[in-house]
């Protein structure tokens, strides 16, 4: 069947139903002049910032010391223009919806405010690069499989995720609406690591392997923390109003993790009042809803090993182990 034949195969009745659905289901359809931010352009902005954070690794290659001032200046100008455009878009979008934006700022026109927020972001970029360099070193120091820090930058999803988070968190702290969440969700789609832009993460943070890690909005993570795949820093429960709808507040709902803590694969730590003290080790697959004092190891009771012969291999000397009671 050709494309034109396929087009003719769609019935007029189906076309009318879809048109009616678009008109009726306003929750998933934007009508009128509301200026939504452009997800594709934000992805391009994220790519520009990555080139600036890791010059020579992404984008133009063969960068020399003599070329750094010219190349970096050009990257800053290009990235700043793109960031200003997207901040302006989300500010206009938020105002059209009647949302409060950028607490503590004077009610300037959106363009002036976008320019000031763009300047603030680039004022912080050198510090972001310092933090990301520490994250790269922590990943190299924490993974014996890594042969060079270049491998960390080019290959490790944990570095990609924390890099995006540090960008998103800077914008979040400035009160920029929606844009930080889009930046974070682009990284989530790429890496499988879900870090809310609101959470606070200290220096030298390392996520090894990475898939299915979830870190909630109000989580606080200290310095030199190492985390493995499948870890959740989540909320115990959610407040609801009299109609059962979730109450949206900035109340602390997620755990606090101290310095030099290691959290192994599959561990779940819940609650805004849960604090894991400095120098703790949290073993894999544990479920924690209470605070842990500094310097402790949290683990399940050691399983009893039960030895038996496999039924299919009786007489052949094969032995299997089971984890028992």
């Amino acid at each position: 069947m050709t494309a034109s034949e396929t087009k003719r195969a769609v019935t007029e009745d189906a076309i009318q139903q879809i048109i009616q659905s678009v008109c009726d289901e306003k929750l998933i359809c934007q009508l009128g002049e509301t200026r939504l931010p452009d997800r594709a352009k934000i992805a391009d902005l994220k790519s520009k910032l990555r080139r600036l954070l890791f010059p020579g690794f992404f984008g133009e290659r063969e960068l020399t010391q003599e070329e750094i001032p010219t190349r970096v200046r050009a990257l800053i100008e290009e990235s700043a223009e793109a960031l200003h455009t997207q901040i302006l878009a989300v500010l206009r979008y938020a105002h059209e919806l009647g949302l409060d934006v950028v607490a503590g700022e004077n009610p300037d026109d959106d363009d002036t405010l976008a320019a000031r927020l763009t300047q603030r972001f680039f004022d912080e970029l050198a510090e972001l690069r310092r933090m990301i360099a520490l994250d790269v070193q922590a990943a190299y120091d924490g993974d014996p499989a890594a042969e060079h820090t270049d491998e960390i930058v080019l290959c490790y999803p944990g570095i990609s995720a924390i890099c995006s988070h540090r960008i998103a968190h800077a914008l979040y702290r400035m009160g920029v609406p929606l844009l930080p969440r889009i930046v974070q969700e682009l990284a989530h789609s790429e890496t499988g690591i879900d870090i809310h832009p609101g959470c606070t993460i200290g220096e030298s943070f390392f996520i090894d392997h990475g898939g299915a890690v979830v870190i909630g909005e109000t989580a606080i993570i200290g310095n030199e923390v190492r985390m493995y795949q499948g870890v959740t820093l989540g909320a115990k429960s959610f407040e609801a109003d009299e109609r059962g709808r979730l109450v949206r507040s900035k109340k602390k709902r997620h755990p606090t993790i101290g310095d030099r803590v290691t959290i192994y694969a599959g561990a779940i730590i819940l609650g805004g009042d849960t604090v894991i003290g400095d120098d703790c080790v949290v073993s894999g697959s544990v479920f924690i809803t209470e605070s842990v004092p500094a310097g402790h190891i949290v683990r399940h009771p050691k399983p009893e090993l039960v030895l038996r012969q496999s039924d299919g291999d009786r007489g052949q000397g094969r032995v299997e182990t089971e984890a028992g009671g």
Side-chain angles (χ1 to χ4, degrees), residues 54-73 75:
F54 300 103
F57 284 95
F58 305 102
E60 295 178 298
R61 300 297 179 90
E62 300 179 359
L63 181 66
T64 66
Q65 190 75 25
E66 293 73 21
E67 293 173 317
I68 284 177
T70 301
R71 294 280 188 92
V72 169
R73 184 178 298 275
L75 276 172

Side-chain angles (χ1 to χ4, degrees), residues 94-201:
H95 285 148
E96 287 172 357
L97 294 184
L99 302 176
D100 293 330
V101 297
V102 195
E105 289 284 355
N106 294 324
D108 295 326
D109 66 276
D110 289 337
D111 192 68
T112 301
L113 182 53
R116 186 157 70 250
L117 292 170
T118 299
Q119 180 182 359
R120 284 178 57 187
F121 176 82
F122 281 93
D123 285 346
E124 295 186 15
L125 195 64
E127 174 62 13
L128 290 184
R129 294 196 76 252
R130 185 190 73 83
M131 295 279 283
I132 291 166
L134 291 174
D135 298 328
V136 170
Q137 187 64 54
Y140 178 74
D141 292 342
D143 186 0
E147 296 185 355
H148 196 278
T149 53
D150 290 352
E151 181 181 349
I152 304 293
V153 173
L154 290 168
C155 303
Y156 279 43
I159 287 300
S160 180
I162 188 61
C163 175
S164 293
H165 171 74
R166 296 210 185 277
I167 292 170
H169 185 65
L171 296 168
Y172 180 93
R173 285 188 292 101
M174 294 175 194
V176 176
L178 192 54
L179 180 57
R181 194 63 188 268
I182 296 175
V183 170
Q184 182 272 324
E185 288 300 338
L186 289 168
H188 183 195
S189 298
E190 294 166 0
T191 66
I193 298 170
D194 185 1
I195 309 175
H196 193 284
C199 80
T200 301
I201 299 178

Side-chain angles (χ1 to χ4, degrees), residues 41-53 58-59 75 79:
K41 290 182 179 178
I42 293 171
D44 184 60
L45 165 62
K46 184 169 170 285
S47 177
K48 287 180 170 63
L49 290 173
R50 184 174 68 167
R51 289 165 54 199
L52 189 53
L53 291 168
F58 305 102
L75 276 172
S79 302

Side-chain angles (χ1 to χ4, degrees), residues 32 70 180 213 223:
T70 301
V213 167
N223 298 322

